[in-house]
Amino acid sequence: MKKIRHNKFLNYIIPIIISVIIIPIMLFSMNGIPLFGVPKVEDIDYIEMSNTKLGTNTRKFTEIEDIENAINFTNFLSYKLGTPEQKSC
């Protein structure tokens, strides 16, 4: 009688464990892995942005609101596995 209960339990729990493993793998492969280790607003003095395609000019942001916006923007960035790095010309 105990053997039947054990088999029913395994038949119930094994699909759950497999789903818990497969779903994050699929999510990360489709959406990418989010960036970790983004510094806090208090730890940043300024942010410097540049675009090498438009020129060598850089913009320096020191206002707290601009720094918060830049940190919030990093929530949209992610590292996609298997994609090659783009080389700049």
Side-chain angles (χ1 to χ4, degrees):
M1 189 114 182
K2 288 184 181 181
K3 207 172 203 183
I4 293 172
R5 283 186 183 174
H6 185 67
N7 287 338
K8 284 184 180 180
F9 178 73
L10 284 178
N11 289 339
Y12 179 75
I13 198 75
I14 287 176
I16 293 173
I17 292 172
I18 291 172
S19 298
V20 167
I21 293 171
I22 289 176
I23 288 174
I25 291 172
M26 290 175 59
L27 275 171
F28 287 145
S29 66
M30 290 188 317
N31 299 328
I33 299 173
L35 295 176
F36 295 110
V38 178
K40 296 180 182 177
V41 176
E42 300 85 28
D43 298 336
I44 299 174
D45 294 329
Y46 66 92
I47 292 180
E48 197 170 275
M49 292 182 162
S50 64
N51 188 347
T52 56
K53 292 182 181 179
L54 297 177
T56 58
N57 297 338
T58 60
R59 295 180 70 187
K60 188 174 183 179
F61 299 101
T62 56
E63 298 293 324
I64 297 295
E65 291 178 14
D66 294 333
I67 294 173
E68 287 176 353
N69 288 337
I71 289 176
N72 290 337
F73 180 72
T74 60
N75 293 333
F76 295 107
L77 301 176
S78 63
Y79 175 74
K80 293 198 177 199
L81 299 172
T83 57
E85 291 184 20
Q86 295 179 355
K87 295 182 181 179
S88 59
C89 297

